[in-house]
Amino acid sequence: MATFINEPSHTFNEYLLIPGYSGKECVPHAVSLKTPLVKFKKGEESQIMMNIPLVSAIMQSVSDDKLAVALATQGGVSFIYGSQSVKDEADMVRRAKTYKAGFVTSDSNIKPDDTLQDVINLTAKTGHSTIAVTENGKPDGKLLGIVTSRDYRVSRMEKDLKVETFMTPFDKLIWAKEGTTLKEANDIIWDHKLNSLPIVDDNGKLCYMVFRKDYDSHKQNPNELLDSHKRYVVGAGINTRDYEERVPALLEAGADVLCIDSSEGFSGWQEMTLEWIRKNYGDSVKVGAGNVVDADGFRFLADAGADFVKVGIGGGSICITRETKGIGRGQATALIEVCKARDEYFKETGVYIPICSDGGIVHDHHMTLALAMGADFIMLGRYFARFDESPSNKVSINGTYYKEYWGEGSARARNWQRYDLGGAQKLSFEEGVDSYVPYAGSLKDNVELSLSKVRSTMCNCGALTIPELQKKAKLTLVSETSIVEGGAHDVIQKDNNATIK
């Protein structure tokens, strides 16, 4: 006979935090959101510590190299989507890793025999006024000079004038050699009152550009998540089919951490994938697994060698797995049970395996609830899909801007590997939808706002760190009536967009 769990499973929206004592030291700017990404032994620190508890979902409409850089700038990690060719995913990882913090691969380049008109056209296309003149017109060509708006006057010069006649030649440039640190580059910029500094290798080939304007940006992002070589930390998704080809390519491209992207992690397919990685790379490769919704699933992946475990089935805004298959669990209940199993595993083995809550986040305060329930970090799809940096198109519908957002189980994504159970290499039916989400602007502005709410709530609970929140938090289930009470009610709200005559 089937096992019946007669208690209902709950969502984040059915819980509230009860305030605790907060001393005068409990102020938002004193809160640390540092959290481990991968497992570690008691008394040690995780080899990858994030500065904020947010990672982006392994989805075509969410995580590419642009979002990876933007999220790492804020202190989190993006997992670049794996439902593309091995080469394309590796190229995305490589672009994010070679971007470096403050070091920019030049995207405005021209040849010396091009003309002023070409310069004008390029500036109009890119919006950049600093153009590198290289031997072949490519970003890694031999640097011959620089053109800026100070080098020409459109009204006084012929449009067919060759670039080499008015550029600032290499022998008159101030430049730095490859290997120069960001601090050293910025010191050179400030000492010589430059707007930009070319970085070249021993053969004179252009490697990067460092811009004065990025100095302020760097100072404004103290939470940047960098590796030991001052490059952004980048994650990547893998599947349980082509891992023997995909994993080496992603590691060669520089991926810091991998994650098996699957709708259900309690399976022999994930066990096989983890076994192959451990056999060929030992513990040097960090790889998360999932998704699971109970203690048995967690223990299975922990024993199989997962570096972190994702929790959640069917809770994503574009996921219809529960509707189509009748499988899953309320995200809050699943998270509470798995985190309890994680703590028991830690007591038993001395190994702490971080938990990622994946799905079910609708409001910002759900992030704090997830952390209080035991999650070490949160994976978000819809949240990040709304931003400028996500790879999907921005569209206008009836005068309002939206961004496209589709699930990996939708016909548009065709990511059969994520839902593979050993059958035909295709989606048998859809487990995700194709949709729109309201456009929200830049990642930086929204993440800062969301996390300011998290920090404020943590202070209300008397906690200055995530582990302290998990220790001190008191949570209560709420009724349907109290959910209504929690919002604006029994008033006529003003329409702030209405015109008063």
Side-chain angles (χ1 to χ4, degrees), residues 4 39 48-49 88 90 94 100 102 116 135 237 271 295 303 322 332 349 379 382 384 401 406 414 419 454 476 488:
F4 288 89
K39 68 183 177 185
I48 304 178
M49 291 290 294
D88 287 346
R94 191 173 292 108
K100 298 178 74 174
L116 175 58
E135 201 169 44
E271 185 177 38
D303 291 341
R322 296 180 192 174
T349 66
M379 178 170 278
R382 179 194 62 85
F384 287 117
Y401 282 108
W406 60 94
R414 300 183 184 280
Y419 301 89
V454 173
T476 180

Side-chain angles (χ1 to χ4, degrees), residues 65-84:
D65 50 300
K66 186 177 180 182
L67 192 120
V69 168
L71 184 50
T73 299
Q74 299 308 307
V77 173
S78 183
F79 284 88
I80 290 174
Y81 70 91
S83 52
Q84 57 181 321

